[in-house]
Amino acid sequence: MTEHRDQQLRQLISLLQDGEFHSGQKLANELSVSRAYIWKLMQQLEELGLEFESVTRKGYRLLKPLQLIDAKSLSKSMTQRGLSDWKCEILLLTDSTNEQLKGEGFRHKKLLAAEHQSAGRGRRGRQWVSPLASNLYWSVGWQTQMPVQQLGGLSLVVGLAIINALGNLGVKGVQLKWPNDIRYQGKKLGGILIELSGDVAGALQVIIGVGLNMQMGATAAQQIDQQWMNLNEVGPEISRQQLLTEATIELSRALELFEQQGFEAFRDAWQEVDECYGQKVTILQQNQELKGIGAGVDSTGALLLQTGKGIVPIYAGEVSLRFRH
Ligand code: BTN
């Protein structure tokens, strides 16, 4: 998609963002294009996951009002909150924000968010459903001298930073499912995907990707094959921009502390929000199932599983939970 078309789509969304009807002719005048061209742009927005209705003689109306993330005001609020050395970039469309930050695109302390991802990635090669302007999709670049063996607890640390950010904005009761799911009452609100590159002996480039469901419509969500929910159902209402700012501030603090003190500094906080604790947990590792009861995490962030043979540390695997009542 060309930059010009990108700009036109952005402008069109901004005109429609109040959720009121806007006639095709008025939109065409604003963009200096034909009504037929507006229709074409609207089709593209629909393909990207934007939900709207079109009514004869009234025009187009978004099903939900929305606000695009604004890079300038995001940078401004981050500077005001002490993160002046961070660089923010907001794309309208991309394949995957993690992918964009790789290689040439990498920069330490860079926040890259997108309104839509055509190839959003989840863990284990899964797709991350990323409809336009509904949720939050972002990645952070962080360069570290920490040895790779000490990074096991990193996704837990990132999850805790998101929980803190949500708490600062009044959203309580969110939990974490080891190692990287952000959940509320057993349903997935979001997830974390960490990718590493660089020289194992030298500095590592860490790409931290986070996806959070905010106000995803039912059509896009049809592709999701697990229990999920939107943050706007948890309340109170928060804007994507507010959450992105708060999350970056918390993440920056958490990463610095993690570099200085390792996961040990986060272990108590993890216990407060550990969804697996005391629950029946099944770990799937290379087609083998290991069952036990969640018993917290160790000082490196490994999941502790109480089994018939004692406590076993788990470093990787797919976790499923059955709640004990
Ligand atoms: C998971 O729970 O499976 C992890 C999901 C991570 C999704 C985010 S969205 C922003 C970033 N870019 C991607 O392609 N993936 C992550």
Side-chain angles (χ1 to χ4, degrees), residues 95-96 98-99 102 117 119-123 126-128 130 193 195:
D95 48 358
S96 148
N98 269 29
E99 195 57 40
K102 280 201 181 140
Q117 297 184 118
R121 292 200 292 261
R123 283 177 85 226
R126 292 196 187 109
Q127 173 204 15
W128 189 258
S130 312
L193 179 68
E195 297 182 85

Side-chain angles (χ1 to χ4, degrees), residues 255-319:
L255 291 170
E256 272 162 26
L257 183 62
F258 183 59
E259 282 193 328
Q260 287 156 14
Q261 299 183 22
F263 182 73
E264 185 61 55
F266 296 87
R267 199 171 167 197
D268 290 349
W270 177 267
Q271 271 164 10
E272 306 259 309
V273 293
D274 179 359
E275 199 191 20
C276 294
Y277 191 81
Q279 304 296 342
K280 287 185 182 168
V281 173
T282 304
I283 312 287
L284 187 64
Q285 281 173 332
Q286 288 140 12
N287 295 333
Q288 282 204 328
E289 274 191 1
L290 187 61
K291 288 184 189 292
I293 305 290
V297 290
D298 71 10
S299 61
T300 69
L303 174 67
L304 297 175
L305 199 64
Q306 176 77 59
T307 69
K309 292 182 186 147
I311 291 194
V312 181
I314 306 290
Y315 299 98
E318 181 86 358
V319 174

Side-chain angles (χ1 to χ4, degrees), residues 130-144:
S130 312
L132 187 70
S134 315
N135 300 325
L136 275 177
Y137 325 109
W138 85 95
S139 302
V140 160
W142 190 265
Q143 184 149 315
T144 182

Side-chain angles (χ1 to χ4, degrees), residues 135-290:
N135 300 325
L136 275 177
Y137 325 109
W138 85 95
S139 302
V140 160
W142 190 265
Q143 184 149 315
T144 182
Q145 298 290 339
M146 280 176 96
V148 70
Q149 306 87 305
Q150 278 174 30
L151 292 180
L154 181 58
S155 74
L156 286 66
V157 168
V158 175
L160 288 169
I162 306 289
I163 296 256
N164 282 348
L166 288 168
N168 297 348
L169 297 170
V171 183
K172 309 285 181 196
V174 178
Q175 288 188 300
L176 297 170
K177 190 181 93 170
W178 189 92
N180 76 324
D181 278 7
I182 302 160
R183 312 224 303 175
Y184 186 76
Q185 296 181 348
K187 292 184 184 166
K188 186 152 170 164
L189 284 171
I192 297 154
L193 179 68
I194 294 183
E195 297 182 85
L196 302 177
S197 67
D199 188 348
V200 182
L204 276 176
Q205 296 184 343
V206 184
I207 295 168
I208 300 165
V210 186
L212 278 174
N213 304 326
M214 301 285 293
Q215 49 164 32
M216 178 152 53
T219 315
Q222 279 168 1
Q223 302 164 62
I224 302 178
D225 60 1
Q226 57 183 317
Q227 295 246 60
W228 70 278
M229 70 187 287
N230 279 317
L231 254 175
N232 72 356
E233 297 167 64
V234 181
E237 207 175 299
I238 47 177
S239 75
R240 295 183 305 145
Q241 180 128 350
Q242 254 180 320
L243 181 50
L244 198 50
T245 313
E246 208 58 42
T248 312
I249 289 159
E250 288 295 338
L251 192 56
S252 162
R253 269 190 209 137
L255 291 170
E256 272 162 26
L257 183 62
F258 183 59
E259 282 193 328
Q260 287 156 14
Q261 299 183 22
F263 182 73
E264 185 61 55
F266 296 87
R267 199 171 167 197
D268 290 349
W270 177 267
Q271 271 164 10
E272 306 259 309
V273 293
D274 179 359
E275 199 191 20
C276 294
Y277 191 81
Q279 304 296 342
K280 287 185 182 168
V281 173
T282 304
I283 312 287
L284 187 64
Q285 281 173 332
Q286 288 140 12
N287 295 333
Q288 282 204 328
E289 274 191 1
L290 187 61

Side-chain angles (χ1 to χ4, degrees), residues 53-106:
E53 63 174 334
S54 144
V55 176
T56 323
R57 277 191 287 278
K58 280 181 141 179
Y60 303 97
R61 181 180 79 87
L62 293 186
L63 295 191
K64 273 176 258 153
L66 62 84
Q67 200 146 27
L68 290 178
I69 302 164
D70 179 41
K72 267 200 197 133
S73 71
L74 185 68
S75 294
K76 196 173 154 202
S77 35
M78 281 175 40
T79 302
Q80 282 166 350
R81 307 275 303 269
L83 300 191
S84 50
D85 50 347
W86 279 67
K87 183 174 167 21
C88 297
E89 191 180 351
I90 315 292
L91 302 173
L92 185 69
L93 311 173
T94 191
D95 48 358
S96 148
T97 55
N98 269 29
E99 195 57 40
Q100 287 298 315
L101 261 189
K102 280 201 181 140
E104 296 285 290
F106 184 86

